[in-house]
Amino acid sequence: MARKFSLLDEADYFQLKNVIEKYNSEPSFQQPDGDPLYLKTIRKRDIWEKLDVITLKQVRETVLDFLNKWKCRISYDCAEKLQEALKQTHELFQLLRDMKLETVYFNEAITGEKRVKDVIKEIFDKISSVKAGKRTIGFTATTKIMHMVVPELFVMCDEYIREEYGCAANSEGYLVFLSRMQKSVQRLIKEKPKDEICKELHNDQRSLTKILDEYNYYTITWQKRRLGQT
């Protein structure tokens, strides 16, 4: 089937703006499992920036509730294991805390012999491998968690989006996806400054990485679901 919309690699600012306006006008995205929940959850910085002391209650009522309302379908039985994994990633996330997608150098040495991309892969692998019932936390939920912790660096990605960009369902695949998103955002902000994009499209309510996710979601995931390709 022919692609209806360009991938972000090929989209200019006019195309981005057009899609986000469509996204903003779609009523289904403003329901409890849509943007209001996202905004409420990402503003809980007392949780996302202090994973070393995250409680079991916070894992269940913030992390897992958010993931499941966004259709990740993860068993709550994994709460203790996920809590432990998140605590283990706290120091790794701290190394990336001030990084932004448009300026990060994935090959830059960050601590000892570890490069930025090594830290990202280690975080991804620790979270995604947590057992959740008969499966693991997995690719989609892991990228959502990582975005919540460092929203200016990480872009969320689901299975439909990942497959459309031709990325593997592992930490290496996520790095490939991030690299493509970085090139896209670098090109877009040459057309229009980042702050102006966020203000024009979302009145500064959401990061540019979230706007990229909305473009991908509307043009890939939502289109496929509308056509019944689930």
Side-chain angles (χ1 to χ4, degrees), residues 137-153:
I137 291 292
F139 187 97
T140 300
T142 298
T143 68
K144 292 184 187 303
I145 291 172
M146 292 172 74
H147 171 77
M148 287 290 165
V149 183
V150 190
E152 293 287 342
L153 174 58

Side-chain angles (χ1 to χ4, degrees), residues 116-126 171-172 175:
V116 170
K117 68 178 184 180
D118 298 323
V119 174
I120 292 173
K121 289 176 67 175
E122 187 172 350
I123 290 171
F124 186 101
D125 290 338
K126 282 182 180 295
S171 57
E172 192 65 45
L175 275 169

